[in-house]
Amino acid sequence: MNNSEVIHKIRETAEPILEKIANRSVREFRLGELEIDNGISLRGTPLRNGALKTVLKSLRVRPNFTDLAHKMTPEDWNSVSGRLKNVEAETRMYAKMAPNDSGDQEIIDIYGHNDRKKSEDSGDASQYIDWIARSLSESEKTYTLKGMDFDHRRELFNLTLLDENSDTDVFGTGIDVWKMGDRFTFGGVQFNYAPFFERLVCKNGNTATEYGFGSNISQTKYNDRRIQKVIEKALHHTSGELPAQLQRAVKHLKESNISLSEFYDYRRWFESRNENDRYDRIISRYFDDRPFYQGYGMNIQEKSRKWKSTANSGINAYQFFNMLTYIASHPDKIIMDRSDRTDLQIAASNLLFKKQLDLEDVAQSAQVIYPVLPEMN
């Protein structure tokens, strides 16, 4: 059997996790069945975090809607919440249920219902692992396991494989060599695949979702046949186009700097996730904007996004990309939430494959003396 060692590691890692999440369930319901009080529940089971946000969005109300229960009489609140449910009462959705640390059931995720679906979508994490293992055993490519972990917050497996015979020398110098691979992210009600690239000189990795496949239970493309074919194609076939696309993308970044707007996009990426100041050190070291204030001699934050998109940061785009993937790929040196690492590798890939950087195709400053016509006065 091909790739037997990798398959063994995958199953060995997955087995205890699959046992732990075996009691998860997915239940279909209608919005009219919800109980809206100080929170929202379904047949006595409370909705938490992302599930609560999804339902509130479906009901077209603000995220803090349930706080109004404390500001209204019980009669008024029951009247308002009742009318709200009745408007969307027949809307069907899926609820993903799981026990919390105390063993009590909670609804941790909500997905829309799609009446147009005709294909079976009975697959789950265990089934996806079986399909991956079978495809590896039948593949002529030699894989190593780059990493496999489980995001307990989102209940998703992250599985990354490297094709050992996929070296791509992006500059033809023998120095900047990359390997190709595949990343699978999946749980009980969603499945995502994307090509994975690793720069060997520093082990920096990134995930190109734009060349992948993603779906969840609310979409027609989320079905057993489609997902199995995605897995087989990824692990059996070698793309002749991806290495060329990678080379073009890397050379493209190498030829330009990023704008201040692009710099701040990634700084804000960390600031938006900086709960309890956990990323202060990363922001301070890697996203220090003091050189911009010194160089331009003005308050940068007061400038518009349009202005920032034309302002040169002085940072080469390829070097900036390498910094992002370094942050995302070195847990031994930089402390980050595991799911944020995966998301940053995707965000970095968005820069790598960006069709046009802000500072490309921008006219140089020139002194133009245009004659003043009589009709202009």
Side-chain angles (χ1 to χ4, degrees), residues 76-101:
D76 288 344
W77 173 250
N78 289 336
S79 176
V80 169
S81 60
R83 288 200 301 270
L84 182 65
K85 285 196 305 179
N86 289 336
V87 171
E88 302 289 341
E90 295 304 312
T91 300
R92 292 192 292 172
M93 305 191 84
Y94 294 105
K96 181 180 179 182
M97 307 178 70
N100 59 21
D101 293 339

Side-chain angles (χ1 to χ4, degrees), residues 9 19 35 52 90 95 132 185 192 220 222 332 344 348 356:
K9 288 180 180 178
E19 288 180 3
E35 298 116 22
L52 181 60
E90 295 304 312
I132 291 170
T185 302
N192 298 282
T220 55
Y222 182 85
D332 56 325
L344 181 57
Q356 186 174 59

Side-chain angles (χ1 to χ4, degrees), residues 1 12 74 201 232 265 288 308 346 359 371:
M1 181 172 65
E12 186 177 47
V201 69
E232 290 174 351
D265 282 345
D288 181 6
K308 291 174 187 172
I346 294 171
L359 299 180

Side-chain angles (χ1 to χ4, degrees), residues 228-247:
Q228 187 173 8
K229 283 188 173 298
V230 167
I231 293 172
E232 290 174 351
K233 182 178 179 181
L235 298 179
H236 290 176
H237 303 287
T238 299
S239 170
E241 181 60 23
L242 272 179
Q245 289 172 331
L246 174 64
Q247 286 181 303

Side-chain angles (χ1 to χ4, degrees), residues 80-364:
V80 169
S81 60
R83 288 200 301 270
L84 182 65
K85 285 196 305 179
N86 289 336
V87 171
E88 302 289 341
E90 295 304 312
T91 300
R92 292 192 292 172
M93 305 191 84
Y94 294 105
K96 181 180 179 182
M97 307 178 70
N100 59 21
D101 293 339
S102 302
D104 299 321
Q105 287 287 322
E106 293 180 341
I107 295 173
I108 62 173
D109 228 336
I110 294 287
Y111 293 88
H113 187 280
N114 193 322
D115 293 327
R116 295 175 299 171
K117 292 186 69 169
K118 297 179 181 179
S119 302
E120 185 178 4
D121 59 7
S122 59
D124 56 18
S126 178
Q127 179 69 77
Y128 302 148
I129 289 171
D130 285 344
W131 286 339
I132 291 170
R134 185 189 309 157
S135 293
L136 282 170
S137 70
E138 297 170 350
S139 178
E140 295 182 0
K141 295 190 284 186
T142 301
Y143 281 98
T144 56
L145 181 63
K146 172 64 181 176
M148 183 175 183
D149 58 63
F150 184 72
D151 183 341
H152 290 273
R153 187 178 66 188
R154 295 188 285 190
E155 294 211 331
L156 293 173
F157 282 94
N158 289 304
L159 169 61
T160 306
L161 300 162
L162 278 182
D163 180 353
E164 281 304 298
N165 301 310
S166 62
D167 290 9
T168 299
D169 187 352
V170 292
F171 296 120
T173 60
I175 298 174
D176 219 326
V177 179
W178 293 61
K179 274 192 184 298
M180 305 291 184
D182 304 283
R183 169 168 279 166
F184 302 93
T185 302
F186 52 89
V189 287
Q190 63 178 295
F191 177 91
N192 298 282
Y193 160 75
F196 179 82
F197 305 101
E198 183 177 77
R199 187 174 177 235
L200 299 187
V201 69
C202 53
K203 300 299 181 184
N204 292 356
N206 71 100
T207 306
T209 55
E210 52 266 69
Y211 297 112
F213 168 88
S215 68
N216 62 54
I217 196 171
S218 69
Q219 299 171 305
T220 55
K221 64 179 180 178
Y222 182 85
N223 63 74
D224 296 354
R225 181 177 175 80
R226 180 74 179 274
I227 292 172
Q228 187 173 8
K229 283 188 173 298
V230 167
I231 293 172
E232 290 174 351
K233 182 178 179 181
L235 298 179
H236 290 176
H237 303 287
T238 299
S239 170
E241 181 60 23
L242 272 179
Q245 289 172 331
L246 174 64
Q247 286 181 303
R248 288 193 294 268
V250 169
K251 291 176 181 177
H252 175 221
L253 291 190
K254 191 83 169 179
E255 294 170 353
S256 183
N257 285 359
I258 61 166
S259 69
L260 294 191
S261 178
E262 288 164 331
F263 175 91
Y264 281 113
D265 282 345
Y266 286 93
R267 176 174 166 134
R268 282 193 298 273
W269 190 95
F270 279 96
E271 290 173 339
S272 67
R273 293 163 171 77
N274 195 24
E275 300 171 5
N276 302 316
D277 303 325
R278 59 180 177 170
Y279 293 149
D280 276 359
R281 293 180 65 182
I282 292 176
I283 294 169
S284 175
R285 175 166 175 77
Y286 297 107
F287 299 93
D288 181 6
D289 60 356
R290 288 176 297 180
F292 307 149
Y293 285 82
Q294 296 165 359
Y296 284 95
M298 58 183 68
N299 188 343
I300 302 296
Q301 289 303 322
E302 292 180 350
K303 305 308 259 183
S304 67
R305 182 176 181 87
K306 181 179 179 181
W307 185 92
K308 291 174 187 172
S309 69
T310 64
N312 197 325
S313 68
I315 306 171
N316 178 261
Y318 187 51
Q319 291 178 331
F320 187 72
F321 166 79
N322 287 333
M323 182 190 77
L324 294 175
T325 55
Y326 177 88
I327 295 170
S329 305
H330 290 80
D332 56 325
K333 297 178 181 178
I334 300 174
I335 298 174
M336 275 186 71
D337 179 85
R338 183 177 292 170
S339 62
D340 284 347
R341 287 189 185 280
T342 301
D343 291 345
L344 181 57
Q345 289 184 337
I346 294 171
S349 180
N350 293 338
L351 177 65
L352 175 64
F353 293 103
K354 190 174 183 179
K355 291 183 178 179
Q356 186 174 59
L357 298 168
D358 288 350
L359 299 180
E360 285 186 282
D361 201 24
V362 176
Q364 295 181 346

